[in-house]
Each structure stands twice: as structure tokens, then as C-alpha cells.
Amino acid sequence: TYAVSKTLQMAFDTYIHGNPLCPPKLLWLGSGTVVGGPPSCDHCQHTGDFFYGVTGVEVDLTRSGHTGAVAVHWPVSQGTYLRNMTLDVGNGRAGIFGEAGSGGLISDVNIRNGDYGMQFGNQQWTFRSVSISGARVVGIQVIWNWAFSFVRSNIKCCSARQSVQRSVELCVIDRELRSCLQTLARPCELTNYA
């Protein structure tokens, strides 16, 4: 276990790889974000932020005491991934937050607790074997998207399973939902562009 109180800000072409047989735990004692992709700015689109990755790591926000804490801030693009991770958000805001970027993979990630499992706005992403449980507001909040695919994901014991604000294409395959109070927190507007 590693006590962390300052954001692990990742630089271009940086990877964090934990031991898959004994994943390291990052115990968050700070007030913001534990693992940070590229820094955000007012006009950043993050469509050129390639080659970031985190695998085989546990992130624990349960001792932070900060309700705005986020396990992973992930506004990234192609060649990026989050894999084989466990995120316990505790009373924090979100397991994964990403507001911009273009393409990547989030696979075999378990997210527990927090207000949101994921708050994500991006394009061309695949989410495979993502499990979210105990989110107080919404399991997955899709801020905006162009082509998201959710494969073998499950959401349980959340107030709402998914909130879609702006969506171009959302593909859901093999999803399991249990003990969710409602399916869609906010139905998306369907627009015919033909």
C-alpha cells in the first residue's frame, strides 16, 4: 500500500503497470484526483493525447474524506487504456472522469461507491467487462459521445444505471443490471440525420 496525497500526473507516453499477482494499492489521502492523464485547459480537445496506460492497480479513496475526489481523470485519445483495476471511490465523486479526447479501451475495471461510477464524454471508446456497484447518483453518466461500445458490463445497486446527455452512437452488448432504481436517468434526444 502506498499513501498518496498529490496527483500522479502522467506525462505523454507514460504507463503505470502494477504486479498482476499482487496489485499495488494507492491509498488516497488528498483532495483532488489520484491518477491524472494530461492536464485540462479551457480549450483542450485532447484528441492528440496518445499513449497513456494504467493496469494492475487498486485505488482507494475511502480515507480521503473529500467528496469531490476522483480516482482517475482520463481525457485521452488513441493508444490509451485502463485495465485490470479496482477503484473504491468511497464518499468521493467518481471512479473515472473524462470530458474530452478520442478513442481508447477501458477493460476489466471494478468501480465501487462514489456519486458516479464513471462520468465520461469522449469518442470511439470500448468499455469491456466494467463492473460498477453502489454509485449513489448514476452508474455511468455519458456526458457526450461518438461511438461508445459497452461489452459484458454490469451495474448493480445504483440509483440509476445510465444517464445519457448527448449521444451519437451507443452500443450495449451483454449487459447485466441488478437492483437499479431506474434504467435511464435522463432519456437522450434521438435525432435523425438522414
Side-chain angles (χ1 to χ4, degrees), residues 16-39:
I16 298 173
H17 286 246
N19 181 343
L21 301 176
C22 184
K25 180 184 279 189
L26 304 176
L27 180 61
W28 184 237
L29 303 174
S31 62
T33 300
V34 183
V35 177

Side-chain angles (χ1 to χ4, degrees), residues 108-161:
D108 302 294
V109 174
N110 276 315
I111 303 171
R112 294 189 299 265
N113 306 315
D115 291 335
Y116 302 88
M118 291 192 311
Q119 287 182 293
F120 217 71
N122 208 307
Q123 58 185 334
Q124 304 160 12
W125 273 80
T126 299
F127 302 88
R128 186 184 71 209
S129 298
V130 174
S131 287
I132 299 172
S133 63
R136 291 180 296 278
V137 178
V138 175
I140 300 171
Q141 181 182 36
V142 176
I143 302 166
W144 67 275
N145 83 328
W146 296 341
F148 276 11
S149 296
F150 290 92
V151 181
R152 290 191 317 268
S153 299
N154 71 65
I155 300 174
K156 59 185 176 183
C157 301
C158 297
S159 294
R161 136 180 110 82

Side-chain angles (χ1 to χ4, degrees), residues 20-74:
L21 301 176
C22 184
K25 180 184 279 189
L26 304 176
L27 180 61
W28 184 237
L29 303 174
S31 62
T33 300
V34 183
V35 177
S40 287
C41 64
D42 289 340
H43 303 291
C44 293
Q45 295 299 314
H46 296 288
T47 54
D49 288 316
F50 303 154
F51 312 122
Y52 295 85
V54 181
T55 187
V57 176
E58 295 180 12
V59 180
D60 184 347
L61 277 64
T62 58
R63 293 197 195 159
S64 165
H66 189 269
T67 58
V70 173
V72 179
H73 179 222
W74 208 238

